[in-house]
Amino acid sequence: RVLGVDHTGALVDGDHLIAICAVDRHRRGALVEDTVVVTVMANLGFRLAMEAHGIRVEETAVGDRYVLEALARGGWSLGGEQSGHVIFPDLATTGDGLLTGVQVLAAVRSTGQSLAEAAAVMTSLPQVLHNVRVAVRRPEIAALLAEDIAAAEARLGDRGRVLIRPSGTEPLVRVMVEAEDTGVAEREAATLAAAVEGASR
């Protein structure tokens, strides 16, 4: 994995690194089928930026193994996770932090921009995550709360997103909400976390 730090000291996460590389490859005609693979945890800002550049986003479950499987299945050339695990299947069979760093540096250099300027290709929307501890794992929790989720999504509109998923390793349900306003994201996440707790009793 690799993360960047720009000249101001700001962290450049995996979403931004993938966005920089996706736009660079798209511009050079090297992004197979103009498609990039990310997990459901990728920020909505990433999706909006890719849409603005005419790049299709293929979404997978959380985990680099799922990204790798999707890349192999579709024959695509770039994918990764917000954590900074990025995969270039035409260059390596697994994620490689040094390789990713070199690819990002090359992409940034080709634009003549600083890393901070290149990372502005996308703007991350505020993302609020609540981990709700449950007594019993409920894989179907999102289906149980379909009405609550739909109501939250309606309030957020197309500039917000809701994701509710059980942890694969712990007795937790992860409630994630993105919105343009942090207060709105926090309010919706708290409401949904309460709904998860109610459904888990």
Side-chain angles (χ1 to χ4, degrees):
R1 295 179 182 178
V2 65
L3 298 174
V5 179
D6 69 22
H7 70 284
T8 71
L11 181 69
V12 182
D13 69 14
D15 283 348
H16 286 81
L17 299 180
I18 296 166
I20 290 169
C21 291
V23 171
D24 173 66
R25 283 183 166 228
H26 173 69
R27 179 175 50 80
R28 294 187 289 108
L31 187 65
V32 175
E33 294 184 353
D34 290 322
T35 298
V36 61
V37 180
V38 294
T39 76
V40 294
M41 291 303 291
N43 193 276
L44 177 58
F46 175 89
R47 293 168 172 79
L48 295 172
M50 294 302 97
E51 182 180 348
H53 283 85
I55 298 172
R56 189 175 78 84
V57 175
E58 180 76 13
E59 194 173 88
T60 75
V62 174
D64 59 279
R65 62 172 283 196
Y66 299 111
V67 173
L68 190 56
E69 286 171 3
L71 287 167
R73 187 170 59 250
W76 298 308
S77 55
L78 176 62
E81 296 186 281
Q82 194 178 68
S83 63
H85 192 134
V86 185
I87 304 170
F88 300 89
D90 55 337
L91 301 175
T93 56
T94 64
D96 182 302
L98 289 175
L99 175 62
T100 300
V102 169
Q103 290 296 299
V104 171
L105 288 172
V108 171
R109 183 185 171 102
S110 73
T111 67
Q113 298 176 312
S114 67
L115 177 58
E117 291 168 329
V121 69
M122 68 163 278
T123 301
S124 293
L125 272 63
Q127 188 179 78
V128 175
L129 179 66
H130 285 241
N131 290 317
V132 182
R133 188 159 294 279
V134 293
V136 180
R137 291 191 71 245
R138 302 291 292 272
E140 75 286 7
I141 191 69
L144 288 173
L145 299 177
E147 288 186 15
D148 299 273
I149 294 170
E153 288 175 334
R155 290 189 293 270
L156 292 169
D158 61 1
R159 302 289 293 183
R161 189 168 72 102
V162 172
L163 177 66
I164 295 181
R165 67 179 188 88
S167 167
T169 57
E170 302 174 84
L172 298 173
V173 173
R174 305 195 192 283
V175 176
M176 190 273 289
V177 176
E178 292 172 341
E180 288 187 300
D181 179 85
T182 302
V184 170
E186 288 175 344
R187 184 168 62 250
E188 295 294 346
T191 299
L192 289 168
V196 169
E197 288 174 347
S200 302
R201 289 194 184 106

